[in-house]
């Protein structure tokens, strides 16, 4: 009995050893791994057609064109592989062959990865005929983006090869060599545009040539094309706005105040999205990254932060009205500026020694008036200045400043709207007062905003107290977007009754104020000029640069259809560049034509390149600018 027991134990042990060995051979040996690929069945991953992109009027902006890629499984390349012959077939150098092969091995010896991308249809026809001779190599077909326009890369974006991070994040979809949206709409709507991959199975002969479908196509999975997208952008208006930015840096944002749809979004310098397509894309991309003078990849409409300057005065007044420290009858006498101690904020309004009310103050941009209002705002609670600043800050932030929009744009910046706690930390609880931060009253100081935030503020003023989150996509597969973030209005903390005074003053900007020289004869516009100071740090010293030219506008006053913000870097007075650009853009959108041809010609044929060249010589490769006490670095930040 004991011998029989030992026999069973021995038999079981032998069986267990065989099972373990069989498991090891099947799962862990290279022989098994190779066998999975060295088969008569070819698995072809079908990359779906990426969705097309249209403007709001159904003009095609982005489409696809077919290209081929050579893929490799390094472990399947045998020792008799004719490298020289293969390189001649592809038209590449041996160094390129080994470099690409090492990259593939680094990814995986056993999994397919891209060996040679971007092969044209004509070249591939020659390669395909002889590819069967080279074991380990195969091909796949995919779509390449075809941009029908030569600008607006900040809107459309571009696609690039997935990173290891992308693959790790969605390992069930992406693999080495796949492409993904890297910027713009291509990035923010990646999952909508990319579609779903498919699979086809083919039978090969002993030479590796395809001779038919496997299992009568029953195992195939059909690829599902990506969804088409229609943007809110009016391409004709976008193209016109870009022409107005000839030899100018800065941003233009135009929004429909009735629904938050972005009509134009111009960041200059303007990039051509076609630079990011094809075999030379990496080289072009590196060039743009290394341009530390212009920072062309920075989207100046959503990422660049500027002091808002005089347009911010409108919010200073609205906060004062809402907080009850001024009313429609409040006036101040201006004596060429606002004096405090030995300092003075100069005023160039031209109205001195006479009482000025809010409408006139807006029209002529009286610094003294708004400094007086701001002082009252901060001192509303004399024993608790922090409370006054916080109440003011909350009102300003309700207009969309100091935070992200959390919208469908790929990039964004919060900007800065300081609070009382900010100043307590900066100066000490009892070591500051209204005069310490008085420059906030005219949109300087610690305040900085983005052009899209300014345009959104204009929408809120045009709507007398509410706005819709600015967004770039109008419909997906012809179905209008229904996200409540875009369809439900956001209300500011200022009562609607206070906006009429501001709007009246903005309209007077074109009648008696700083906008007289570019007034439209047949469209009622409401606007505000701005001139923002900025400085450059050179050898540890602050050097004053030409001011930024700023203008905001909405029109027509009686039925607002468009709200605009324009910032021209180093453009000087707001009435010099930004104002005319905004008024021309509004006329183009509302009338579909421009009557003021001489003004249009001046803006389209003259620019600021000499100014930028001079600044470039001053700063070399440094791009650090200062707005009063604030220093900002223009870097490619992402929301």
């Amino acid at each position: 009995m004991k011998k029989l027991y030992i026999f069973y134990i021995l038999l079981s042990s032998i069986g267990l050893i065989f099972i373990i060995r069989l498991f090891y051979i099947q799962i862990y040996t290279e022989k098994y791994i190779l066998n999975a690929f060295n088969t008569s069945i070819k698995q072809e991953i079908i990359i779906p057609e990426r969705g097309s992109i249209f403007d709001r009027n159904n003009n095609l902006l982005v489409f696809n064109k077919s290209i081929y890629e050579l893929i490799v499984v390094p472990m399947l390349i045998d020792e008799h592989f004719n490298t020289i012959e293969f390189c001649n077939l592809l038209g590449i150098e041996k160094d390129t062959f080994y470099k690409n092969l090492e990259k593939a091995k680094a990814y995986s010896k056993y999994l397919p990865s891209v060996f040679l991308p971007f092969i044209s249809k004509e070249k591939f026809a020659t390669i395909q005929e002889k590819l069967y001779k080279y074991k380990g190599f195969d091909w796949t077909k995919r779509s390449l983006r075809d941009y029908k326009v030569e600008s607006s890369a900040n809107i459309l974006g571009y696609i690039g090869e997935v990173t290891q991070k992308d693959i790790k994040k969605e390992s069930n979809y992406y693999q080495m060599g796949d492409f993904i949206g890297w910027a713009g709409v291509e990035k923010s709507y990646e999952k909508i545009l990319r579609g779903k991959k498919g699979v086809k199975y083919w039978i090969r002969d002993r030479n590796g040539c395809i001779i038919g479908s496997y299992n009568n196509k029953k195992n195939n999975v059909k690829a599902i094309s990506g969804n088409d997208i229609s943007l809110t952008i009016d391409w004709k208006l976008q193209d016109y706005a870009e022409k107005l930015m000839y030899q100018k840096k800065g941003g233009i944002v135009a929004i429909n105040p009735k629904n938050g749809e972005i009509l134009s979004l111009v960041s200059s310098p303007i990039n051509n999205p076609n630079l990011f397509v094809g075999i030379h894309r990496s080289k072009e991309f590196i060039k743009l990254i290394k341009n530390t003078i212009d920072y062309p990849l920075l989207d100046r409409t959503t990422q660049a932060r500027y002091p808002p300057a005089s347009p911010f005065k409108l919010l200073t007044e609205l906060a004062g009205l809402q907080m009850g420290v001024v009313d429609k009858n409040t006036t101040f006498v201006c004596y060429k500026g606002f004096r405090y101690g030995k300092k003075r904020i100069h005023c160039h309004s031209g109205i001195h020694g006479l009482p000025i009310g809010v409408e006139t103050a807006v029209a002529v941009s009286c610094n003294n008036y708004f400094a007086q209002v701001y002082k009252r705002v901060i001192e509303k609670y004399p024993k608790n200045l922090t409370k006054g600043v916080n109440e003011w800050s909350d009102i300003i932030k309700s207009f969309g400043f100091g935070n992200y929009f959390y919208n469908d744009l790929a990039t964004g910046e919060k900007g800065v709207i300081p609070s009382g706690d900010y100043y307590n930390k900066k100066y000490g609880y009892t070591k500051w007062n209204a005069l310490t931060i008085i420059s906030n009253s005219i949109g300087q100081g610690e305040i900085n905003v983005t052009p899209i935030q300014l345009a959104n503020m204009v929408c809120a003023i045009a709507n007398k107290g509410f706005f819709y989150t600015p967004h770039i996509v109008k419909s997906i597969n012809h179905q209008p977007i229904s996200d409540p973030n875009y369809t439900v209005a956001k209300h500011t903390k200022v009562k609607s009754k206070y906006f009429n005074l501001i709007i009246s003053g903005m309209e007077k900007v074109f009648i008696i104020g700083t906008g007289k020289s570019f007034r439209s004869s047949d469209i009622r516009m409401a606007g505000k000029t701005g001139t923002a100071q900025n400085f450059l740090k050179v050898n540890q010293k602050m050097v004053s640069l030409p001011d930024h030219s700023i203008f905001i506008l909405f029109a027509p006053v009686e039925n607002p259809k468009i709200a605009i913000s324009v910032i021209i870097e180093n453009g000087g007075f707001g009435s010099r560049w930004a104002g005319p650009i905004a008024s021309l853009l509004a006329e183009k959108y509302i009338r579909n034509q421009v009557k003021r041809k001489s003004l249009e010609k001046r803006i389209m044929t003259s620019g600021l390149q000499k100014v930028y060249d001079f600044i470039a010589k001053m700063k070399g490769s440094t791009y650090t600018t200062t707005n009063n006490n604030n220093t900002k670095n223009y870097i490619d930040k992402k929301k």
Side-chain angles (χ1 to χ4, degrees), residues 238-479:
Q238 176 77 4
D239 183 58
Y240 183 75
E242 289 175 348
K243 287 183 172 67
L244 295 174
M245 291 297 282
Y246 172 76
Q247 290 191 357
K248 306 171 189 73
K249 295 179 188 176
I252 299 176
V253 183
I255 302 174
N256 182 345
K258 296 180 186 297
N259 52 27
E261 291 180 354
I262 299 171
L263 302 170
S264 179
L265 197 70
V266 178
S267 177
S268 182
I270 295 165
N271 289 324
N272 183 347
N274 292 290
L275 291 175
F276 308 109
V277 177
I279 197 166
H280 299 297
R281 60 176 301 280
S282 295
K283 192 181 294 184
E284 295 295 335
F285 193 72
I286 290 170
K287 279 184 187 177
L288 295 174
I289 289 177
K290 289 184 175 181
N291 185 346
T292 55
I293 298 296
D294 298 323
Y295 280 88
L297 291 178
L298 177 77
D299 188 340
R300 284 166 163 80
T301 62
T302 61
Q303 292 176 288
R305 299 180 300 172
Y306 305 91
S310 291
F312 197 78
K313 293 173 180 176
L314 308 179
L315 294 192
T316 299
E317 176 67 15
L318 287 170
L321 291 167
Q322 181 62 34
M323 292 171 69
V325 297
V326 293
D327 59 32
K328 64 180 181 179
N329 298 314
T330 300
T331 61
F332 296 102
V333 178
C334 179
Y335 295 101
K336 297 185 179 181
F338 177 82
R339 289 179 171 83
Y340 55 110
K342 295 181 179 180
K343 298 180 180 180
R344 181 173 68 167
I345 298 177
H346 293 275
C347 182
H348 305 283
S349 67
I351 302 177
H352 305 302
L354 297 172
I356 297 177
V358 59
E359 292 182 30
T360 302
V362 170
V364 299
S365 201
C366 178
N367 285 340
N368 175 69
Y369 179 92
F370 295 102
Q372 297 285 3
V373 173
Y374 186 73
K375 186 172 182 293
R376 288 192 182 185
V377 164
I378 304 307
E379 295 175 346
K380 179 180 178 180
Y381 309 100
K383 295 182 179 180
N384 190 352
L385 298 182
T386 300
K387 186 177 180 180
V389 175
N390 285 343
E391 188 173 340
W392 164 84
S393 180
D394 288 343
I395 290 171
I396 303 304
K397 288 176 180 176
S398 74
F399 282 79
F401 294 108
N403 206 346
Y404 298 123
F405 283 123
Y406 297 103
N407 57 7
D408 58 353
L409 295 172
T411 59
E413 272 287 345
K414 293 173 68 172
V416 175
I417 300 297
S419 64
D421 298 326
Y422 173 93
Y423 290 116
N424 289 334
K425 185 177 180 180
K426 181 175 182 178
Y427 297 112
Y429 190 76
T430 60
K431 296 181 179 179
W432 61 276
N433 57 37
L435 299 179
T436 310
I437 58 175
I438 199 68
S439 56
N440 286 344
S441 64
I442 58 172
Q444 296 281 170
E446 284 76 21
I447 298 167
N448 61 66
V449 305
T450 62
I452 194 170
Q453 289 175 328
L454 269 181
N456 186 69
M457 178 196 81
V458 184
C459 291
I461 294 173
N463 292 332
K464 299 180 182 179
F466 67 89
F467 63 88
Y468 295 90
T469 301
H471 54 281
I472 199 75
V473 168
K474 187 176 181 67
S475 64
I476 299 172
N477 267 1
H478 308 292
Q479 296 299 313

Side-chain angles (χ1 to χ4, degrees), residues 147 153 156-160 180-184 186-187 273 276 281 285 297 636:
Y147 297 94
L156 302 173
Y158 38 88
I159 61 175
I180 189 173
W182 269 18
E186 296 277 25
K187 178 182 178 181
F276 308 109
R281 60 176 301 280
F285 193 72
L297 291 178
D636 191 9

